[in-house]
Amino acid sequence: MMGGTTQPTRNILVVAHARRDDTVAAARRVIAAVLASGARPVLAIDDPELVAALADLGPIAGLGADVDVADIEIAIVLGGDGTILRAAELVRGGTAPILGINMGHVGFLAEIEADVIDDAMRRVIDRDYEVEERMTLAVRVKDAAGEVIYDTWALNEATVEKAARERMMEVVIEIDRRPLSAFGCDGVVIATPTGSTAYNFSAGGPVIWPTVEAIAVVPLSAHALFARPLVVGPEATVAIEVLARTDGTGILWCDGRRSHDLPPGARVVVGRDPEPVRLARLHPAPFTDRLVRKFQLPVVGWRGPSSSPVSPVSPASPGTGAA
């Protein structure tokens, strides 16, 4: 048409677990809504099972093959926190936010439950959502000579752990290039606020509100007088050195998905990564409410202001929320 303009194609990434029938069925509903809107559904090409399960819906674009990550508008994730962490890997390098739809898993990152998929997709198509940025960690491993041998990132946490169950590892913790303490331990967790309710929480670390930019450092089963959880500023640099006298090797895990072996003398350096993970929120809610729902915290008897959004939840009530 004379004077007309061509609208760019809207690319919506769909990430799901292909081994669950309910998840595949939900993915079909999501893709049907995407196609009905005139947008283009995109799947990860490294997930052939999901691609095969949805092949009858017609040609679906492949991430990296047909569509670049920079051209993804939003990622719709069906599953629990593990699937959302995988999606964060897939969209890294782009600007697409992630909308998590909980498929019966207990997790903090999912935004909504599966029974409201149709309404959620209407809002996604209308771009009716808010975007929340979560800080991430840049993680580097250096060898005894100071050479960088591994470079990665983490949304939840970077964990330095002993590789052998029967052995203890000897480490020294450094904050902002100054040594803090050396001790034997099972490992050390370095977590973001997002990860404060994951491994950090299980290890006895503090729960950090997502609006607080900070880094938690939590020793695991440390044999030392001063081995308490630490909370440092977001611009701090934390280093964990695996002392040469360690009898055995360690291993670095990031978000429980990416790992690298740590020989004696290795040094793991962790700081804030400039690239955040972006989460799409349809129903922004106070973090306090999410904690109450997630952990089924007893708040019956609360006499706060009636205008508060908090809904009392008894200890026996099922948790349905996510952080």
Side-chain angles (χ1 to χ4, degrees):
M1 181 187 301
M2 293 290 293
T5 59
T6 302
Q7 294 295 324
T9 301
R10 298 178 63 184
N11 298 299
I12 298 179
L13 178 65
V14 181
V15 183
H17 199 304
R19 293 187 177 89
R20 289 189 51 170
D21 292 342
D22 59 338
T23 302
V24 173
R28 297 177 73 88
R29 290 170 61 190
V30 168
I31 290 175
V34 172
L35 291 170
S37 74
R40 177 165 55 183
V42 182
L43 296 177
I45 59 176
D46 64 350
D47 192 352
E49 289 184 79
L50 184 62
V51 173
L54 302 173
D56 63 301
L57 296 177
I60 298 176
L63 180 64
D66 307 305
V67 179
D68 189 79
V69 67
D71 296 322
I72 297 296
E73 178 180 310
I74 189 171
I76 309 298
V77 184
L78 301 145
D81 283 356
T83 310
I84 292 175
L85 290 171
R86 176 172 178 265
E89 291 179 332
L90 293 172
V91 302
R92 189 160 178 82
T95 59
I98 297 167
L99 176 65
I101 299 177
N102 185 26
M103 296 300 298
H105 301 266
V106 177
F108 265 92
L109 294 173
E111 164 71 3
I112 57 173
E113 301 302 310
D115 56 1
V116 294
I117 286 179
D118 296 333
D119 179 65
M121 289 309 300
R122 282 192 292 270
R123 294 185 60 180
V124 166
I125 298 304
D126 292 340
R127 296 190 175 99
D128 180 19
Y129 52 83
E130 297 181 12
V131 176
E132 177 182 310
E133 290 191 345
R134 296 291 185 93
M135 71 175 285
T136 59
L137 300 174
V139 185
R140 287 186 173 181
V141 177
K142 297 183 178 181
D143 61 17
E147 296 295 324
V148 176
I149 57 176
Y150 185 65
D151 197 341
T152 188
W153 66 284
L155 170 59
N156 272 355
E157 75 280 310
T159 305
V160 175
E161 301 178 4
K162 62 181 184 179
R165 180 179 180 182
E166 69 277 8
R167 300 182 186 278
M168 181 181 296
M169 66 189 309
E170 298 280 341
V171 303
V172 60
I173 294 180
E174 170 194 300
I175 307 292
D176 287 333
R177 298 181 177 273
R178 301 302 303 163
L180 181 67
S181 185
F183 44 74
C185 62
D186 286 350
V188 181
V189 177
I190 306 169
T192 65
T194 300
S196 71
T197 50
Y199 198 165
N200 167 82
F201 177 83
S202 298
V207 173
I208 303 174
W209 260 236
T211 52
V212 177
E213 294 191 332
I215 299 172
V217 183
V218 182
L220 301 172
S221 303
H223 290 235
L225 178 62
F226 185 84
R228 302 298 183 186
L230 308 173
V231 179
V232 300
E235 303 307 325
T237 300
V238 178
I240 309 296
E241 292 186 359
V242 181
L243 297 179
R245 65 174 180 262
T246 292
D247 185 13
T249 61
I251 186 169
L252 166 71
W253 280 99
C254 289
D255 291 340
R257 297 186 55 82
R258 300 171 296 281
S259 65
H260 191 81
D261 292 336
L262 302 172
R267 175 180 170 88
V268 179
V269 183
V270 182
R272 181 177 189 161
D273 192 288
E275 184 177 342
V277 166
R278 307 172 82 225
L279 300 178
R281 294 302 194 193
L282 301 180
H283 307 288
F287 185 62
T288 307
D289 291 4
R290 294 177 181 174
L291 285 177
V292 168
R293 290 194 297 267
K294 159 68 177 178
F295 294 114
Q296 303 176 28
L297 301 179
V299 296
V300 172
W302 175 67
R303 299 177 61 189
S306 58
S307 60
S308 171
V310 174
S311 297
V313 178
S314 67
S317 301
T320 58

